[in-house]
Amino acid sequence: MRAVNYMRASTVEQTKKHSLDAQRTSTTTFIRQRGWTHTHEYLDAGLSAKSDSHRPALEQLLADAEQHHYDVIVVDKIDRFYRNLRGLLATLERLNKLGISFVSVKENLDFTTPWGKLSLTVLGMLAEIYIDNLSQETHKGLIARARKGLWNGSIPFGYCNGACATCTDPNGPGYCPYAGSSDRGNGVTLIAHPIESIAVQRAFAWYIAGDHSDGDIAERLNTEPLVLPNGSTIAFRTKGLPGRYLPGPLSKESVRETLQRRFYTGVVPYYGVDEQGHKRKRGNMEAVFPGQHPALVSAEDFERAQELRQQLSRRSRTVNREPRVYLLSGLLICDSCGRTMRAMTCGGRRYYRDLTRIDHTGVCDQPTLKAEEIEEQVIQLLRQFRLTPDWQVQLPAWFLTAEQYTELTTKKAEMEARWERARELYLEGVLTKVEFQTEQWHYNS
């Protein structure tokens, strides 16, 4: 028997506590005791087992099952594989059709036997009850924090926790003049960040004045630094997100987000989820609670900014506007800064402009291009191509290295396998129509 083992830790903390090492020891020992041949292991570290989560290793495991690369899957516990009953039963039924066996070490379960199937159903139901209960408890915890006037998620731009002596804020050490000094807060209640809060207040003031767009405000914040009490200057920048991206220049999108965030008025909006389980959008809050953090703008200024935005959104920029096609939007690359060039219309003419200049995130000397001229150049270039009958086979070799081609082929196989699984689950009633349409959109994209 060719055996593989699958391991998963649902959080980074579990990974650090050697959960994965324990699962590896348990499963490999079981395989060795059975006398099976251990051919491969699949690992999803720090990922959830909910039905809608994306687990690359699990998807590869199931894709390899389609190719009959192994005979049996060994896991440490059922909940390492799935915590959703429908997903668990659908996956195991699929494996059964492929002749793939499944074993859980801790539950001593082989689902191919009648008693194994019965035990599997009971354990799967318990796992689903657990994840549903966990979701409910998480909801309770989030709304309890909101009721107390505390924020949920990462600390919003404009604030910090005031723990200056042990500051870990992305805009702390090396940026904030108070980082490393005595604490200015208790580490629990948010206080105004001495630099970011000024950026928030300036953004609202300029927007309410009525002569600045989101992009104008971003450009002005990026080019007009803050003068500190000691006479030195410091540039405004986003907070970034630890582990994902570093602080950087403000863009029109970050300014737009700031100007629509009610949190800056000193309240804590709680959005919750709708009947379909989706997070409610801005303007459709479940509740609003008084916050423990200081307001950076007044409620009146915030409402005035929202009224201005609604008025601007209702304006028709052109009369009897005809649909415009931009063939190269997102495909042209700026030779100066390396960012993409996007479509824009000015005075009824079509243009392509560098994304750095559109977002107002920096300085780029790339001039705006007339769409007609650059599109004609590309068309003339394409007309020079002479494709051989096997051009589709040769195409990857023209642009990709051997490693890139292998990676592309692997991803294509994974995508096709995922799409096929989605079709099966939809026909079996496991996926809803909306979930199936989402998978279809990902596949076609």
Side-chain angles (χ1 to χ4, degrees):
M1 292 276 284
R2 298 168 299 167
V4 299
N5 55 332
Y6 174 78
M7 298 163 290
R8 179 189 64 81
S10 60
T11 63
V12 176
E13 288 72 23
Q14 281 183 291
T15 306
K16 292 180 179 178
K17 292 178 181 177
H18 310 293
S19 169
L20 296 174
D21 290 338
Q23 293 178 54
R24 179 178 288 109
T25 300
S26 172
T27 52
T28 54
T29 299
F30 184 90
I31 292 172
R32 185 173 60 254
Q33 290 175 345
R34 287 294 184 94
W36 296 337
T37 302
H38 186 202
T39 59
H40 194 68
E41 73 174 28
Y42 300 84
L43 170 63
D44 278 320
L47 297 175
S48 169
K50 293 191 295 184
S51 60
D52 59 348
S53 61
H54 173 57
R55 290 188 278 165
L58 177 63
E59 292 175 2
Q60 185 61 53
L61 172 79
L62 298 178
D64 290 345
E66 298 286 348
Q67 303 300 320
H68 299 281
H69 288 174
Y70 53 84
D71 304 307
V72 58
I73 300 171
V74 180
V75 300
D76 183 54
K77 293 178 65 178
I78 287 289
D79 62 4
R80 298 299 87 193
F81 195 56
Y82 268 100
R83 279 184 172 158
N84 176 271
L85 179 59
R86 291 188 302 172
L88 175 66
L89 295 179
T91 300
L92 292 180
E93 177 65 19
R94 177 182 169 197
L95 292 173
N96 190 33
K97 291 179 180 178
L98 294 171
I100 306 293
S101 298
F102 178 86
V103 172
S104 174
V105 177
K106 290 292 192 298
E107 290 91 357
N108 191 24
L109 174 66
D110 182 346
F111 90 100
T112 59
T113 66
W115 281 107
K117 291 181 179 179
L118 176 60
S119 301
L120 173 67
T121 301
V122 174
L123 291 170
M125 290 176 64
L126 292 176
E128 186 166 12
I129 291 172
Y130 168 80
I131 200 68
D132 288 343
N133 182 67
L134 180 62
S135 177
Q136 294 174 9
E137 293 301 317
T138 300
H139 172 79
K140 291 178 182 177
L142 294 175
I143 197 167
R145 282 185 58 86
R147 285 198 179 101
K148 292 179 181 179
L150 301 175
W151 82 100
N152 284 310
S154 57
I155 296 178
F157 178 77
Y159 295 94
C160 64
N161 62 13
C164 302
T166 56
C167 180
T168 58
D169 192 283
N171 279 343
Y175 183 77
C176 175
Y178 296 105
S181 62
S182 299
D183 290 346
R184 301 172 63 236
N186 57 16
V188 177
T189 304
L190 297 183
I191 66 172
H193 189 283
I195 301 173
E196 296 175 3
S197 61
I198 303 299
V200 173
Q201 292 168 343
R202 287 186 180 182
F204 272 93
W206 293 339
Y207 190 78
I208 291 172
D211 54 357
H212 288 83
S213 66
D214 298 332
D216 294 335
I217 294 173
E219 185 172 359
R220 190 171 176 182
L221 288 172
N222 290 330
T223 55
E224 297 183 14
L226 174 67
V227 179
L228 299 177
N230 61 6
S232 62
T233 60
I234 190 166
F236 294 112
R237 69 185 192 186
T238 62
K239 191 182 288 289
L241 191 61
R244 295 185 61 184
Y245 50 86
L246 298 173
L250 287 97
S251 66
K252 69 176 185 179
E253 282 77 15
S254 61
V255 170
R256 183 184 299 115
E257 169 66 23
T258 296
L259 293 174
Q260 297 182 80
R261 193 158 197 173
R262 193 175 296 273
F263 191 86
Y264 295 124
T265 64
V267 300
V268 179
Y270 181 75
Y271 294 92
V273 296
D274 58 22
E275 293 75 10
Q276 288 73 40
H278 301 135
K279 182 178 178 180
R280 290 188 176 89
K281 298 184 181 297
R282 182 182 287 111
N284 186 28
M285 299 165 290
E286 182 175 315
V288 178
F289 303 99
Q292 296 189 29
H293 59 284
L296 300 185
V297 297
S298 67
E300 293 75 16
D301 285 348
F302 178 82
E303 294 301 336
R304 175 58 180 157
Q306 308 320 301
E307 291 173 2
L308 283 173
R309 186 169 297 280
Q310 289 182 358
Q311 292 172 9
L312 292 171
S313 66
R314 286 195 291 263
R315 289 181 183 175
S316 177
R317 297 188 178 183
T318 57
V319 179
N320 296 327
R321 177 170 140 179
E322 296 180 358
R324 293 186 175 91
V325 177
Y326 294 88
L327 302 176
L328 305 177
S329 182
L331 299 178
L332 289 178
I333 305 297
C334 174
D335 188 48
S336 297
C337 66
R339 299 190 72 186
T340 58
M341 302 188 71
R342 297 298 175 89
M344 62 173 292
T345 302
C346 183
R349 298 287 300 274
R350 298 186 306 119
Y351 296 91
Y352 291 105
R353 194 175 194 185
D354 179 82
L355 193 57
T356 298
R357 299 178 66 188
I358 292 177
D359 286 343
H360 301 267
T361 54
V363 178
C364 181
D365 58 5
Q366 175 65 256
T368 300
L369 304 176
K370 292 182 179 179
E372 292 82 359
E373 295 180 0
I374 190 64
E375 288 171 359
E376 181 60 28
Q377 292 179 31
V378 173
I379 290 172
Q380 293 301 325
L381 180 64
L382 292 175
R383 284 174 176 168
Q384 298 176 21
F385 278 94
R386 294 295 182 269
L387 299 178
T388 60
D390 62 343
W391 68 271
Q392 289 179 308
V393 178
Q394 298 296 327
L395 186 63
W398 298 342
F399 301 101
L400 303 176
T401 64
E403 292 78 11
Q404 291 173 328
Y405 179 68
T406 300
E407 181 181 1
L408 180 64
T409 304
T410 301
K411 288 183 177 179
K412 180 180 179 182
E414 293 174 356
M415 181 176 64
E416 291 177 346
R418 177 172 176 170
W419 169 240
E420 185 59 32
R421 290 196 300 275
R423 290 177 58 188
E424 293 176 359
L425 294 176
Y426 177 64
L427 293 174
E428 293 173 4
V430 176
L431 289 183
T432 65
K433 185 176 182 180
V434 173
E435 292 171 333
F436 177 71
Q437 289 175 337
T438 301
E439 289 293 331
Q440 186 178 35
W441 180 86
H442 284 298
Y443 178 74
N444 292 332
S445 299

